[in-house]
Amino acid sequence: MRLGPTAAPVVELDDRAPIGRRVQGRYRIIGKLGVGAFGAVCAAEDTATGHRVAIRLLPRGLARAPQVARTIVRLGQSIVEASTSHPGLVRVLAFGQTEHGRPFVAMERVKGRRLSEILSEGKPLAVGAVLRLALDLGGSVETLHSMGLVHGALRPCNVMVLEDGRVKLMDVELACLRDSESMKALVAAEPPAEYLAPEQIRQAPVTDKADVYAFAAILYEMLCGVPPFHAATREAILQKHLTEAPVPMRRRRAVPVSVESAVALALDKQPEVRPFMPDLLNHLWSEAHRPAPRWKRTAVIVCGAALAVSVALLMISGPLVLRSRTSRPLEQATQPPAIKETPASEPSLARETNGSASARPSPDPAFTVQVGAFSARERAVALQRELARTGAEAGVLQAEVGGRTIHRVRVGRFASYAEAADAARRLAARGHTVVVVHE
């Protein structure tokens, strides 16, 4: 079985970086950082600001591919804007052409250790460190997805861990190219094969679920010390992606059951079965902030027919009607970060029991249900409206998690954990990711 071509006709790998030359009269190239299928990456100086930057000189052949050239023009500005939306994305400064007609991209230059270097020893990382890195990296990927972009090449060598522990996702500038029809063969042929989703190997249409698959493969390797699929040849690895299930993580090391199940779901061969990035991150966040005994926090993820059957058995028949008292911000704690209610960009549908938004909260202990984990506030507001139509009392919450802003919908205020859990199960049965929080 031939899994795809090994070359793309528009690529010329012998392109040279013009050391000492200036690009558009502004960027002076001072050295070469690397070369690959998508051209040469050079160290450069921005003479207008004095800052050190990186310049990717794309293969000259791309300029002769009309579809690729149009894609660069159409999506280049979107990439620039998207890269400023999350601190974990390497900033893309500009797209353009050199004086000789060669397409280029100017980017922020970052220094640190590539995740591939950290993992090269083949030893698993501590679970807590893995979850922190995964949340930082996932936040960057989620931001791209919320702007309609697919990275398409998540792999440890494209993840830079800075000296302060922060994570930077690189190769953001290529997001608009990897989705191009003429580039699919090149993407499938690019090493390494360990992080390619089955649909990329088949050169089928690629969605954000390909990034979810690659993200799960990286998470698996960080936790187990080896990628989910490895073999002596590239062809054998690709075949395993298409036909085999990975070795269960628990056979390699002790990991939280909830994390193992989430990773296994994200590595499903069928893209539609994999969770969306916000759902996966919400699950990891809940595990990373496992509460002390005085807190009650239960994450529910709908992950396939087996779990759906279990949820159905736990459901109580009847419409979703959630009782609510006056809302209040969550307490500050070292477990989950405080989430405060903020006004929606459109009129809020949340109601107060006494008709006043300034009413004093009840001092009684209470449980609430938080639904979803969205980077875009508009998605949380849309969900809030959807739940309000079922009779639920709902409000939009906002929190800073791992350097990113997330929005959840808080539903109800319950006197007991059992009541909140019952409401959570019914929401989960409708396909929502939910968390029960004890205030």
Side-chain angles (χ1 to χ4, degrees), residues 94-166:
F95 280 80
Q97 283 193 339
T98 67
E99 289 75 1
H100 298 88
R102 186 174 181 180
F104 80 91
V105 191
M107 305 159 288
E108 167 192 18
R109 186 178 176 186
V110 294
K111 292 184 178 181
R113 293 184 70 197
R114 293 179 187 264
L115 183 58
S116 54
E117 179 186 350
I118 296 174
L119 295 174
S120 63
E121 297 179 0
K123 297 179 181 179
L125 306 182
V127 173
V130 169
L131 293 176
R132 180 183 58 78
L133 290 170
L135 287 170
D136 283 353
L137 174 60
S140 302
V141 178
E142 182 191 14
T143 297
L144 291 178
H145 292 177
S146 68
M147 302 188 75
L149 297 170
V150 176
H151 187 278
L154 287 183
R155 56 196 59 160
C157 63
N158 283 336
V159 179
M160 187 74 78
V161 182
L162 308 185
E163 289 184 358
D164 60 5
R166 290 182 299 126

Side-chain angles (χ1 to χ4, degrees), residues 177-261:
L177 296 180
R178 287 192 170 94
D179 200 33
S180 170
E181 283 294 326
S182 59
M183 292 290 101
K184 284 183 179 177
L186 181 58
V187 171
E190 261 194 305
E194 285 81 0
Y195 314 98
L196 286 175
E199 58 268 29
Q200 289 177 298
I201 298 170
R202 296 190 179 100
Q203 297 182 36
V206 171
T207 68
D208 55 352
K209 295 299 185 70
D211 284 346
V212 170
Y213 186 96
F215 177 80
I218 295 172
L219 187 55
Y220 185 107
E221 184 173 4
M222 287 194 293
L223 287 167
C224 298
V226 294
F229 302 107
H230 54 99
T233 66
R234 175 184 173 82
E235 201 77 8
I237 296 173
L238 297 177
Q239 191 63 43
K240 287 187 175 186
H241 277 296
L242 295 173
T243 61
E244 296 185 13
V247 175
M249 298 171 71
R250 61 183 176 275
R251 294 186 185 176
R252 300 190 183 277
R253 70 169 295 186
V255 297
V257 175
S258 60
V259 173
E260 180 177 15
S261 64

